[in-house]
Amino acid sequence: MTVLRILHLYPAELGINGDAGNVLALAERARWRGVDVDVVEHAPGAELPTAVDLVHIGSGPLSAQRAVHEDVLRIAPQLRQWRDAGVPFVAIAGGWQLLGTQLETPEGEVLAGAAVYPTRAALGSKRHVGEIVVRLADGTTIAGFENHSARTVLDGAEPLGRVVRGTGNDGSVEGVLVGSSIGTHLHGPLLPMNPVLADRLLSTALRGELPPVPQTERVDRYATNARRAIADRLGVSL
């Protein structure tokens, strides 16, 4: 049986916005297709597994980012090696900021990042809190909830999509897309509400297209209704 190994970075420190639901969605959607799943949770100071198929990191406040920062730099070379080998990453808000090249605090302190993504984030005094709708380059519309104070710069990278309603990186674009890896401000959590992204990540990790099965068809209807509810509240169409 095919085994999918998901590395979940710092679930105890970075996961205050329901981001662990992303890992659950990936695992269940793989299992529904007959794939065995091994979720490895990584804590500061622990050794990384020798190989992984997909990496997830959630979000958290600056205090939590500081708590894991030293460990992020320690494991950064291995993370970049996996990225270069085509392992897909999904990084949410605070976790994404740590996997960028640098994070600037509101006081002007600059924290070096893991440089998995060519992005820079600066935390400000104003928080952007609310529902958000984003349109991807292929026309797919995703939705979620953002809660951050960051302004994010993409250094030559493509955005995940363009903001229809909300703030995103800078009021215009949202997230980042580097190969098969994504970084985003969207919570919700992201992948249960936007299963198209979950299946794209899984297809890359498993190196093959994933057909729909009865379980995915059922839960995807709930996800569609959730996105439509957000779009209706924001006065936009999907």
Side-chain angles (χ1 to χ4, degrees), residues 51-131:
V52 300
D53 301 299
L54 197 152
V55 180
H56 175 275
I57 185 170
S59 64
L62 182 57
S63 58
Q65 291 172 306
R66 290 188 185 279
V68 302
H69 180 241
E70 182 178 347
D71 195 71
V72 167
L73 298 183
R74 178 180 69 89
I75 68 173
Q78 181 60 70
L79 297 180
R80 293 193 296 268
Q81 286 184 28
W82 282 329
R83 175 206 61 194
D84 293 343
V87 172
F89 284 64
V90 54
I92 311 297
W96 169 27
Q97 293 161 11
L98 288 172
L99 297 195
T101 57
Q102 69 175 47
L103 169 63
E104 182 178 346
T105 72
E107 296 74 31
E109 179 186 3
V110 176
L111 304 178
V116 173
Y117 297 92
T119 60
R120 293 175 285 124
L123 303 180
S125 59
K126 179 181 178 181
R127 296 201 69 80
H128 309 290
V129 182
E131 291 171 322

Side-chain angles (χ1 to χ4, degrees), residues 190-202:
L190 171 71
L191 298 183
M193 187 173 291
N194 302 281
V196 63
L197 293 180
D199 282 353
R200 288 177 184 179
L201 290 160
L202 288 172

Side-chain angles (χ1 to χ4, degrees), residues 8-231:
H8 189 176
L9 296 174
Y10 316 116
E13 294 83 5
L14 300 177
I16 65 170
N17 291 287
D19 300 322
N22 294 324
V23 176
L24 179 62
L26 290 166
E28 289 304 303
R29 295 181 76 85
R31 290 181 180 122
W32 290 337
R33 273 84 170 221
V35 177
D36 195 13
V37 179
D38 178 22
V39 176
V40 179
E41 296 187 347
H42 175 80
E47 293 302 313
L48 290 171
T50 56
V52 300
D53 301 299
L54 197 152
V55 180
H56 175 275
I57 185 170
S59 64
L62 182 57
S63 58
Q65 291 172 306
R66 290 188 185 279
V68 302
H69 180 241
E70 182 178 347
D71 195 71
V72 167
L73 298 183
R74 178 180 69 89
I75 68 173
Q78 181 60 70
L79 297 180
R80 293 193 296 268
Q81 286 184 28
W82 282 329
R83 175 206 61 194
D84 293 343
V87 172
F89 284 64
V90 54
I92 311 297
W96 169 27
Q97 293 161 11
L98 288 172
L99 297 195
T101 57
Q102 69 175 47
L103 169 63
E104 182 178 346
T105 72
E107 296 74 31
E109 179 186 3
V110 176
L111 304 178
V116 173
Y117 297 92
T119 60
R120 293 175 285 124
L123 303 180
S125 59
K126 179 181 178 181
R127 296 201 69 80
H128 309 290
V129 182
E131 291 171 322
I132 178 173
V133 174
V134 177
R135 185 156 291 123
L136 309 185
D138 64 0
T140 301
T141 303
I142 63 174
F145 188 87
E146 59 180 336
N147 178 8
H148 64 96
S149 65
R151 182 176 178 85
T152 306
V153 176
L154 309 182
D155 290 326
E158 293 295 319
L160 178 62
R162 303 199 68 81
V163 174
V164 179
R165 285 286 190 278
T167 300
N169 298 356
D170 57 5
S172 176
V173 298
E174 159 55 24
V176 65
L177 182 64
V178 178
S180 57
S181 296
I182 63 174
T184 181
H185 296 102
L186 271 68
H187 306 291
L190 171 71
L191 298 183
M193 187 173 291
N194 302 281
V196 63
L197 293 180
D199 282 353
R200 288 177 184 179
L201 290 160
L202 288 172
S203 292
T204 301
L206 295 169
R207 296 173 176 80
E209 292 298 319
L210 297 178
V213 293
Q215 296 96 323
T216 61
E217 292 177 342
R218 183 176 66 253
V219 300
D220 290 359
R221 287 195 293 271
Y222 298 136
T224 297
N225 290 338
R227 294 195 306 277
R228 284 176 177 164
I230 289 176

